Amino acid sequence: MIAQLVLALTTLLQPADDRSASTLSLDRITSFPNVVVNHVNGSIGTESLPVGNGVTVDPGVFVTIGQNKVQVFDHDAAVLQNGLVTDGTVAQECRSGCPAVLFDAFQYEWLKMAVEASYLDVDIATRVLFAADAAVPAQTLLMSAYAAAETRPGAVPTLSVLVNMAGRGLRAQPVFLLPPEGLELQQGSAALGLTIEFDSNEFVIRGEDATLGRSGRRGKSLADVRKVLAGVKKRHPGKDAIILVPRAGVTVGELMTLVQVIRTSYPRIVLSLGQDVVI
């Protein structure tokens, strides 16, 4: 039911030559953010979402990740145990190595949406939004994001993680994914390749900056991260991308806390399951 409503919202967004001022608008019907809030409240609870800043929530496919299951719209897609996939069998077609249960579920949902979009004569959704319990392991979020991105027909969708913003309610934090096979940049590209690999005990900051060294700079706190990144930003003011690699045990809440610390200086947040970055 929710999938059909989102497609209906998308239909209203399509241009039409004969559309008049009296035509129904999104403002006159249940808004997409309200649909998402209602569903999240009925599943994991909006209070369980990570706290943070973000942009307006626009219509798209939304995925809910709780402690017990993954849902695409209101359809159960995968069973979880304490936020982890119980069947770790890897899908052969998934280049990032995501579990088959996630890959198959998203492939099925995209196919179903493609059929519905064809019937309604609209484009298939280009956005995917993830509403994840802050206590869920970040690796489950990343594996779901890769499964969603790799199974969409055509272009890779834009991705966002939903957060609770003080005084503003539900907001979307845009994120990107490192290519499933990793990233190799040509010499002379002037790429910084700034990367933070982290868990609850330490942060390792690497990149093509002389002060970071070959093995990277290590910090024990977010304050250490701020200090190191402030120096890097001063030396490379034009760089706006950063790669985050959460280790096993890192939660979605911890991931998004780090995002909030760095997003002002590095707004292009790239998530990675640990793929190689070669410069």
Side-chain angles (χ1 to χ4, degrees):
M1 176 63 185
I2 294 180
Q4 285 81 355
L5 175 57
V6 172
L7 282 169
L9 292 173
T10 304
T11 302
L12 289 173
L13 289 172
Q14 300 302 307
D17 294 337
D18 59 349
R19 180 162 295 170
S20 67
S22 62
T23 302
L24 283 175
S25 70
L26 289 176
D27 293 334
R28 298 184 183 179
I29 63 176
T30 303
S31 69
F32 179 77
N34 285 342
V35 172
V36 176
V37 168
N38 289 336
H39 178 70
V40 173
N41 273 330
S43 53
I44 64 174
T46 52
E47 72 280 359
S48 297
L49 297 176
V51 175
N53 299 328
V55 299
T56 302
V57 177
D58 291 322
V61 178
F62 73 88
V63 180
T64 310
I65 306 176
Q67 293 291 341
N68 301 318
K69 61 185 175 182
V70 176
Q71 288 186 304
V72 181
F73 296 116
D74 52 354
H75 311 143
D76 291 353
V79 174
L80 303 177
Q81 184 173 356
N82 296 323
L84 292 169
V85 176
T86 55
D87 184 352
T89 304
V90 174
Q92 292 185 354
E93 308 97 318
C94 188
R95 295 169 295 160
S96 62
C98 60
V101 63
L102 293 176
F103 188 91
D104 293 346
F106 280 104
Q107 190 173 56
Y108 169 76
E109 292 293 343
W110 282 121
L111 177 60
K112 186 165 58 175
M113 283 183 277
V115 172
E116 292 171 346
S118 176
Y119 177 77
L120 292 171
D121 194 25
V122 298
D123 293 332
I124 190 171
T126 59
R127 302 184 187 93
V128 182
L129 304 100
F130 294 89
D133 189 314
V136 164
Q139 290 192 339
T140 301
L141 168 64
L142 266 66
M143 288 188 295
S144 299
Y146 272 105
E150 291 191 51
T151 53
R152 185 190 183 277
V156 174
T158 58
L159 308 173
S160 295
V161 179
L162 298 182
V163 296
N164 266 325
M165 183 176 179
R168 302 292 294 273
L170 195 70
R171 305 290 281 181
Q173 168 61 58
V175 295
F176 301 87
L177 297 176
L178 202 69
E181 307 89 350
L183 184 63
E184 184 173 355
L185 299 168
Q186 296 181 348
Q187 291 185 352
S189 63
L192 186 58
L194 188 60
T195 302
I196 303 179
E197 183 181 349
F198 68 103
D199 55 25
S200 58
N201 297 313
E202 73 166 356
F203 302 84
V204 182
I205 306 171
R206 301 184 178 91
E208 291 299 299
D209 179 276
T211 66
L212 299 179
R214 296 186 63 181
S215 59
R217 288 276 297 277
R218 282 170 164 74
K220 296 295 184 181
S221 66
L222 291 173
D224 293 339
V225 173
R226 287 191 186 97
K227 184 177 180 180
V228 173
L229 292 184
V232 174
K233 190 67 177 181
K234 186 176 181 180
R235 289 182 293 275
H236 307 276
K239 304 301 182 183
D240 64 354
I242 190 165
I243 302 167
L244 303 183
V245 186
R247 293 171 176 166
V250 173
T251 65
V252 170
E254 291 169 331
L255 169 63
M256 299 313 293
T257 295
L258 177 58
V259 169
Q260 297 314 303
V261 168
I262 64 179
R263 69 188 295 272
T264 301
S265 297
Y266 296 96
R268 191 175 180 85
I269 307 295
V270 183
L271 304 181
S272 168
L273 284 169
Q275 292 94 333
D276 291 333
V277 178
V278 180
I279 301 178

